[in-house]
Amino acid sequence: IEMRSPLLLLLLLFSLLQLCQSCDLYVSWNSKNNSTDCGSKENPCSSLGAALGLLEKAIIQELCIEKAPDGFEFELNWRSLDFQGRNASIVYLGENQVGFYSKDKGFNLVVRSNTSLRIRGIRFMFPVRFHANGGKSINISSCSFVSFESVPSLLLILMSEEEILITGSLFRCDEMCLSIKTLPNAAPHAVLIEKNRFESKNVTISVEMISPLTINITGNSIGSGGQISIQRILNNDWNQRVTVENNFFNHSDLSLRNLHGDSIFFFTVSNNSGLRFFTMTGETMNSLVAKINRQKATWMTLPHTLQDSQVIITRSSFKTFWMPRFLLGSSLSIRNSTFSGGNIVGSTELDTLSHFKLYQVSTFSRNLILRGGYVLIDRSNISTFNVENHGSKLFWIQKSTFLKGFNMSIREGENSLDFENNLFVGPIKISSTEETENLWKFRNSTFLSRVRSNTYSEDESIFFKNCEFLGELSGITLFGSSFERPSNKYNSNLNIDNSLFSGNRQPKGSGGSIYTNGFGDISIHKTMFSNNTASFSGGAIFVEGTRVAYRSNGNTFINNKAGFIGDDKVVGAEITEISNDSYYFSKKDSPSLVIPTAAVLTGNTIVCPYLTHVDNKKSMASMIFACSSCSDGTYTLTTGNVTNGIYNNPGCGVCPYGKNCTDSQQNVIIPGNIWCQKVDDALGCMQCPPGYCPSTEHVWTDFCAGNRTGPLCGGCSAGFSSSMTSTNCVPNEKCNSAWMVLFIAISMFYLMFLLFSLGETTEWKTFFFVVQCYPLITKTNPIRVISFFFFNFQSLSGSVSGWDICIASDMNTKKKLIIKLGFTLLIPLVSGILFVIFLSIHYIRKRSPKLKNEEENATLLISEDSSERIMAVVNEPQKDAQRDPFRSRCAKGLMGGMLLVYTNTLTLTFDLWNCRTMPDSSSRLYMDGNVDCSKSTPFSFVAFIALLFFPIFVGYVRHLLLSRQHHPTARRVLVVLQGGYKKKYAWWESYSMARRLIIVMAFVFAKDSILRHYLLCIICLVFLCIHIQLQPCRDRSGNVLETIGLSCLSLISITALVKHENENVVGVAAYLESVLILIPLATCIPVGIHHSQVTKRFYRWIRNKRE
């Protein structure tokens, strides 16, 4: 080219230089002598091909590539490189991979003669094949193999003993990403595939083993739809090991196929996640040792046949699980694993040398055919387990749960089957053939479903020890060999020891807990049968069949029921020995125990239901024990029983009240207000204190009301105290001592009432007499609350809503009576104290020379004229207060208080002394049955006797005062005693006290309530007639009001009598009583206020204050 311009020549040279540098790829190497450092960046990309040739010829040892832009690809012209004799490396030093591509769609690398090949950071855009034939190792790291051909992206063909390491690389393909093949007669290889990423929808990793190989696949990511496939091609004498662990399967699979041969294949799978299908396929796998640990998969399949193999599955979880069809000289062990659903139920057959083990496995469901070998199941949950045993010598299940069912059929041989600490939720079916000898042992297990057995074996033994059969579906049903073939011997036996049968039910047959037919020797020891039922016979046990021996010892039968006969047991055996059994019959008038007449009974105990007795009827074939109820009009309080063969039947007693006294449950019913006590298997009854017992008919054991308890219901239950205002017992937390102020205030009110001459007229005396006697005549009524305020603390017996007042915690009835007596005597006590004080002051003043006695000029005029009032003072009215000293008022208050509280004092004193002889001959305080009278002091008795003579004492005091009428104090007291009566009936106050005494005596001494009501009715009528005849009051109004009061009391007593005789009129009678008691209250109070001149005195007091 002819160049005319130097400028144009320079431009052409610059363009050629830029063209040479445009690939931006530099190569360097280390030679044999390391004369050149790798990474010098001196040779342009055009020297890469020559450098590869130098690497192949071993002129250089390490080829380095660097400084390539992103996505750089270099065309590789060589189809193959063959390395021999030296270690070789192809290393990219940059941060990104450098890509190789080839027009020939493939590239071969051959490693020979102790060569170690290292490849790093290369992206191969075509299939690569490594032939390892005599090399030391191949190390591939941080590379990419991208190919969408039908051949593997990377194919490793292993011929000699090399170590292969593939790590940190990317495989992307359509068909197969990585394929590893070993050639026949090759030396052992070791392959590590670690932390790579595979993206394929087909086979991701394929391993074909013909020669020895150890391969470890760990920490890899398997793309969606991918698969790791491992297969053994030919039989050989080399052992192989495959480990697959800690990989991430994105809904991809792991497959182990066609393993056979005499050498051992070790296969370990652990901690892989996202696994979909985990399969071991093939007709037969020989010499497989598989360990599967901490593995989860949707589907797992074991091969059809495992021969001379061992499979261990631990801490794994599978939704669907296929077990082998045959285990031939193999062992399958599953530990701490879960099979959550969809388990494939087939059959697995074990031969003589095979073993099947389950440890802590959840929801496992399988069928087993045993031909020798042994089965061990420990702490597992089994859904359905079907076993066909053809001679397994050892079958052991412990601490496991069978959810749906357990079926075992024994076909041949001598077999031992041990079940310990298991829970059987589903039904259990066991059977055996005639050619077998079997020993079944169930220990410390719980059965929620029935155990059923059909045995043809003449040597069948079934043991249950420390077992529980709970619920309606549980129990035992056994059919022995003599059931089908009566001529057979009965060497089979059933032994039950120290077990529990509770709530079992046989809805269509006999034997609620145990039914046996044709089962030879039956022994039941120390076992409890409770609440079991059968629709026909034998609520707990039904035994039938010929030549059956039955033995029973130390068992307990409680509340079992049968629809026809034998609530507890029906035994039709030929030889029966029953000793030390305890029967608690639940049904009345129905045979509960049916046993052969020839049975040997030793030391048995039979206990009937409450209120029944034992009947024993003997027939030609059977002894029938039953419990019988008492006939109408009779009762029993005992439980009929047979103890150690001795009958204890006290019989039935006559009802204590002359009529049918039992209900449908044979409980003794007693009338209201009656308390009963059991004495020598009979009832001793007596009248209950008012308000202590229920007022209506009740079962004799429910005899107390208002939280009361103890003999005669005299005490309060724990945590309760006696109420001051009723017979109830109230919780301790409601007690408050501040209520004492109320009782003291009532006493002080009446003290003022008496001191200031407000209660001296006959109207008030009539009022107090009616109100105080009313609660002694009739039963509890809300109107009786009024009597409480007029010093009759007996008035509130029973429950009056809102009037339960408690003043101290844990206060018993006796203390309450003493406190009531103290409040009652407070009025006369305070009056007496004031009288003594003012009398002492009077004598002190009388001895003083400066004071004169102003009382000598006062005289008392007792007028007979009815127009005049009770008392008149001769001196001027304005000096009346001075002529009537306060000590006279105190003396009047003392006498008036004694008259006012006499009724209640008499009643309370009697209550503190009144002792009754109990049915058990002990002496108890009637109002507090907890007090033993033999240990109490006689003080209350002495006081009561003294009060009996109080009416005479009142007459004697009146006689003494008449001789001292000139004294102001005597005059005041005489006004209280005789001021309202005519002269010839001046003694009438003593008669009035005698009336109170008679009513109280009738109330407390008449023990029978009917007698009491009749006496009180007669007494009230007699008092009414006496008053009408004599008319003792000075004023006509006093006589009329007294007549009204006595008439009302008489009518109330008649109403109370009718109410007691006829309960149908209780409501009407109570209403009538309320009306009758209101009549004297409505008449006496207004007239009494008027005659007491309360208004006039109050007006005079106001006027004096103003002046």
Side-chain angles (χ1 to χ4, degrees), residues 755 830-845 855 885-891 969:
L755 290 178
V830 173
S831 299
I833 293 174
L834 292 177
F835 175 72
V836 171
I837 293 174
F838 283 99
L839 184 62
S840 301
I841 294 174
H842 166 70
Y843 280 108
I844 293 174
R845 295 176 63 186
E855 299 179 358
F886 192 75
R887 67 176 182 277
S888 300
R889 294 179 181 271
C890 293
T969 302

CSV table of all heavy atoms in Angstrom, one decimal, residues 755 830-845 855 885-891 969:
chain,number,residue,atom,x,y,z
A,755,LEU,N,-89.6,3.0,135.4
A,755,LEU,CA,-89.3,4.0,136.4
A,755,LEU,C,-90.2,5.2,136.4
A,755,LEU,O,-90.5,5.8,137.5
A,755,LEU,CB,-87.9,4.5,136.2
A,755,LEU,CG,-86.7,3.5,136.5
A,755,LEU,CD1,-85.4,4.1,136.2
A,755,LEU,CD2,-86.8,3.0,137.9
A,830,VAL,N,-80.3,-3.6,137.2
A,830,VAL,CA,-80.0,-2.2,137.2
A,830,VAL,C,-80.9,-1.4,138.2
A,830,VAL,O,-80.5,-0.5,138.9
A,830,VAL,CB,-80.1,-1.6,135.8
A,830,VAL,CG1,-80.0,-0.1,135.8
A,830,VAL,CG2,-79.1,-2.2,134.9
A,831,SER,N,-82.2,-1.8,138.2
A,831,SER,CA,-83.2,-1.2,139.1
A,831,SER,C,-82.7,-1.5,140.5
A,831,SER,O,-82.8,-0.6,141.4
A,831,SER,CB,-84.6,-1.8,138.9
A,831,SER,OG,-85.0,-1.5,137.6
A,832,GLY,N,-82.3,-2.7,140.8
A,832,GLY,CA,-81.9,-3.0,142.2
A,832,GLY,C,-80.6,-2.2,142.6
A,832,GLY,O,-80.5,-1.7,143.7
A,833,ILE,N,-79.7,-2.1,141.6
A,833,ILE,CA,-78.5,-1.3,141.9
A,833,ILE,C,-78.8,0.2,142.2
A,833,ILE,O,-78.3,0.8,143.2
A,833,ILE,CB,-77.5,-1.4,140.8
A,833,ILE,CG1,-77.0,-2.9,140.7
A,833,ILE,CG2,-76.3,-0.5,140.9
A,833,ILE,CD1,-76.1,-3.1,139.4
A,834,LEU,N,-79.7,0.7,141.4
A,834,LEU,CA,-80.1,2.1,141.6
A,834,LEU,C,-80.8,2.3,142.9
A,834,LEU,O,-80.6,3.3,143.6
A,834,LEU,CB,-81.0,2.6,140.4
A,834,LEU,CG,-80.3,2.7,139.1
A,834,LEU,CD1,-81.3,3.1,138.0
A,834,LEU,CD2,-79.2,3.8,139.1
A,835,PHE,N,-81.7,1.3,143.3
A,835,PHE,CA,-82.4,1.4,144.5
A,835,PHE,C,-81.4,1.4,145.7
A,835,PHE,O,-81.6,2.2,146.7
A,835,PHE,CB,-83.4,0.2,144.6
A,835,PHE,CG,-84.1,0.1,146.0
A,835,PHE,CD1,-85.1,1.0,146.3
A,835,PHE,CD2,-83.7,-0.9,146.9
A,835,PHE,CE1,-85.7,0.9,147.5
A,835,PHE,CE2,-84.4,-0.9,148.1
A,835,PHE,CZ,-85.4,0.0,148.4
A,836,VAL,N,-80.4,0.5,145.7
A,836,VAL,CA,-79.4,0.5,146.7
A,836,VAL,C,-78.7,1.8,146.8
A,836,VAL,O,-78.4,2.3,147.9
A,836,VAL,CB,-78.5,-0.7,146.5
A,836,VAL,CG1,-77.3,-0.7,147.5
A,836,VAL,CG2,-79.3,-2.0,146.7
A,837,ILE,N,-78.3,2.3,145.7
A,837,ILE,CA,-77.5,3.6,145.7
A,837,ILE,C,-78.3,4.7,146.3
A,837,ILE,O,-77.9,5.4,147.2
A,837,ILE,CB,-77.1,3.9,144.3
A,837,ILE,CG1,-76.1,2.9,143.7
A,837,ILE,CG2,-76.5,5.4,144.2
A,837,ILE,CD1,-75.7,3.1,142.3
A,838,PHE,N,-79.6,4.9,145.8
A,838,PHE,CA,-80.4,6.0,146.4
A,838,PHE,C,-80.8,5.7,147.8
A,838,PHE,O,-81.0,6.7,148.6
A,838,PHE,CB,-81.6,6.2,145.4
A,838,PHE,CG,-81.2,7.0,144.2
A,838,PHE,CD1,-81.1,6.3,143.0
A,838,PHE,CD2,-81.1,8.3,144.2
A,838,PHE,CE1,-80.7,6.9,141.9
A,838,PHE,CE2,-80.7,9.0,143.0
A,838,PHE,CZ,-80.6,8.3,141.9
A,839,LEU,N,-81.0,4.5,148.2
A,839,LEU,CA,-81.3,4.2,149.6
A,839,LEU,C,-80.2,4.5,150.5
A,839,LEU,O,-80.3,5.1,151.6
A,839,LEU,CB,-81.7,2.7,149.7
A,839,LEU,CG,-82.2,2.3,151.1
A,839,LEU,CD1,-83.4,3.0,151.5
A,839,LEU,CD2,-82.4,0.8,151.2
A,840,SER,N,-79.0,4.3,150.0
A,840,SER,CA,-77.8,4.7,150.8
A,840,SER,C,-77.7,6.2,150.9
A,840,SER,O,-77.3,6.7,152.0
A,840,SER,CB,-76.5,4.1,150.1
A,840,SER,OG,-76.6,2.7,150.0
A,841,ILE,N,-78.0,6.9,149.8
A,841,ILE,CA,-77.9,8.3,149.9
A,841,ILE,C,-79.0,8.9,150.9
A,841,ILE,O,-78.7,9.8,151.6
A,841,ILE,CB,-78.2,8.9,148.5
A,841,ILE,CG1,-77.0,8.6,147.6
A,841,ILE,CG2,-78.4,10.4,148.5
A,841,ILE,CD1,-77.2,9.0,146.1
A,842,HIS,N,-80.2,8.2,150.9
A,842,HIS,CA,-81.2,8.6,151.8
A,842,HIS,C,-80.8,8.5,153.3
A,842,HIS,O,-81.0,9.4,154.1
A,842,HIS,CB,-82.5,7.8,151.6
A,842,HIS,CG,-83.5,7.9,152.6
A,842,HIS,ND1,-84.2,9.0,152.9
A,842,HIS,CD2,-83.9,7.0,153.6
A,842,HIS,CE1,-85.1,8.8,153.9
A,842,HIS,NE2,-84.9,7.6,154.4
A,843,TYR,N,-80.2,7.4,153.6
A,843,TYR,CA,-79.7,7.2,155.0
A,843,TYR,C,-78.6,8.2,155.3
A,843,TYR,O,-78.5,8.6,156.5
A,843,TYR,CB,-79.3,5.8,155.2
A,843,TYR,CG,-80.5,4.9,155.5
A,843,TYR,CD1,-80.9,3.9,154.5
A,843,TYR,CD2,-81.2,4.9,156.6
A,843,TYR,CE1,-81.9,3.1,154.7
A,843,TYR,CE2,-82.3,4.1,156.8
A,843,TYR,CZ,-82.7,3.2,155.9
A,843,TYR,OH,-83.8,2.4,156.1
A,844,ILE,N,-77.8,8.5,154.4
A,844,ILE,CA,-76.7,9.5,154.7
A,844,ILE,C,-77.3,10.9,154.9
A,844,ILE,O,-76.9,11.6,155.9
A,844,ILE,CB,-75.7,9.5,153.5
A,844,ILE,CG1,-74.9,8.2,153.4
A,844,ILE,CG2,-74.7,10.7,153.6
A,844,ILE,CD1,-74.1,8.1,152.2
A,845,ARG,N,-78.3,11.2,154.1
A,845,ARG,CA,-78.9,12.5,154.3
A,845,ARG,C,-79.7,12.6,155.6
A,845,ARG,O,-79.9,13.6,156.3
A,845,ARG,CB,-79.8,12.9,153.1
A,845,ARG,CG,-79.0,13.0,151.8
A,845,ARG,CD,-80.0,13.2,150.7
A,845,ARG,NE,-80.7,14.4,150.8
A,845,ARG,CZ,-81.7,14.9,150.0
A,845,ARG,NH1,-82.1,14.1,149.0
A,845,ARG,NH2,-82.4,16.0,150.3
A,855,GLU,N,-90.8,13.5,154.2
A,855,GLU,CA,-91.7,12.4,153.7
A,855,GLU,C,-92.7,12.0,154.8
A,855,GLU,O,-93.5,11.1,154.5
A,855,GLU,CB,-90.8,11.2,153.3
A,855,GLU,CG,-89.8,11.5,152.2
A,855,GLU,CD,-89.0,10.3,151.8
A,855,GLU,OE1,-89.2,9.3,152.5
A,855,GLU,OE2,-88.2,10.5,150.9
A,885,PRO,N,-89.8,10.2,146.3
A,885,PRO,CA,-88.3,10.1,146.1
A,885,PRO,C,-88.0,9.1,145.0
A,885,PRO,O,-88.7,8.2,144.7
A,885,PRO,CB,-87.7,9.8,147.4
A,885,PRO,CG,-88.8,9.1,148.2
A,885,PRO,CD,-90.1,9.7,147.7
A,886,PHE,N,-86.8,9.3,144.3
A,886,PHE,CA,-86.4,8.5,143.2
A,886,PHE,C,-86.1,7.0,143.6
A,886,PHE,O,-86.3,6.1,142.8
A,886,PHE,CB,-85.2,9.1,142.5
A,886,PHE,CG,-84.9,8.4,141.2
A,886,PHE,CD1,-85.6,8.8,140.1
A,886,PHE,CD2,-83.8,7.5,141.1
A,886,PHE,CE1,-85.3,8.2,138.8
A,886,PHE,CE2,-83.6,6.9,139.8
A,886,PHE,CZ,-84.3,7.3,138.7
A,887,ARG,N,-85.8,6.8,144.9
A,887,ARG,CA,-85.6,5.5,145.3
A,887,ARG,C,-86.8,4.6,145.3
A,887,ARG,O,-86.8,3.4,145.1
A,887,ARG,CB,-85.0,5.4,146.8
A,887,ARG,CG,-85.9,5.9,147.8
A,887,ARG,CD,-85.3,5.8,149.2
A,887,ARG,NE,-86.2,6.3,150.3
A,887,ARG,CZ,-86.3,7.5,150.6
A,887,ARG,NH1,-85.6,8.5,150.0
A,887,ARG,NH2,-87.2,7.8,151.6
A,888,SER,N,-88.0,5.3,145.5
A,888,SER,CA,-89.3,4.6,145.3
A,888,SER,C,-89.5,4.2,143.9
A,888,SER,O,-90.0,3.1,143.6
A,888,SER,CB,-90.4,5.5,145.8
A,888,SER,OG,-90.2,5.9,147.2
A,889,ARG,N,-89.1,5.1,143.0
A,889,ARG,CA,-89.3,4.7,141.6
A,889,ARG,C,-88.4,3.5,141.3
A,889,ARG,O,-88.7,2.6,140.5
A,889,ARG,CB,-88.9,5.8,140.7
A,889,ARG,CG,-89.8,7.0,140.8
A,889,ARG,CD,-89.4,8.2,139.9
A,889,ARG,NE,-90.2,9.3,140.0
A,889,ARG,CZ,-91.3,9.5,139.2
A,889,ARG,NH1,-91.7,8.6,138.3
A,889,ARG,NH2,-92.1,10.6,139.4
A,890,CYS,N,-87.2,3.4,141.8
A,890,CYS,CA,-86.3,2.3,141.6
A,890,CYS,C,-86.8,1.0,142.2
A,890,CYS,O,-86.7,0.0,141.5
A,890,CYS,CB,-84.9,2.6,142.2
A,890,CYS,SG,-84.0,4.0,141.4
A,891,ALA,N,-87.4,1.1,143.4
A,891,ALA,CA,-88.1,-0.1,143.9
A,891,ALA,C,-89.2,-0.5,143.1
A,891,ALA,O,-89.4,-1.7,142.8
A,891,ALA,CB,-88.5,0.2,145.4
A,969,THR,N,-92.0,4.2,149.4
A,969,THR,CA,-91.4,3.1,148.6
A,969,THR,C,-92.4,1.9,148.6
A,969,THR,O,-92.7,1.3,147.6
A,969,THR,CB,-90.1,2.6,149.1
A,969,THR,OG1,-89.2,3.7,149.1
A,969,THR,CG2,-89.5,1.5,148.3
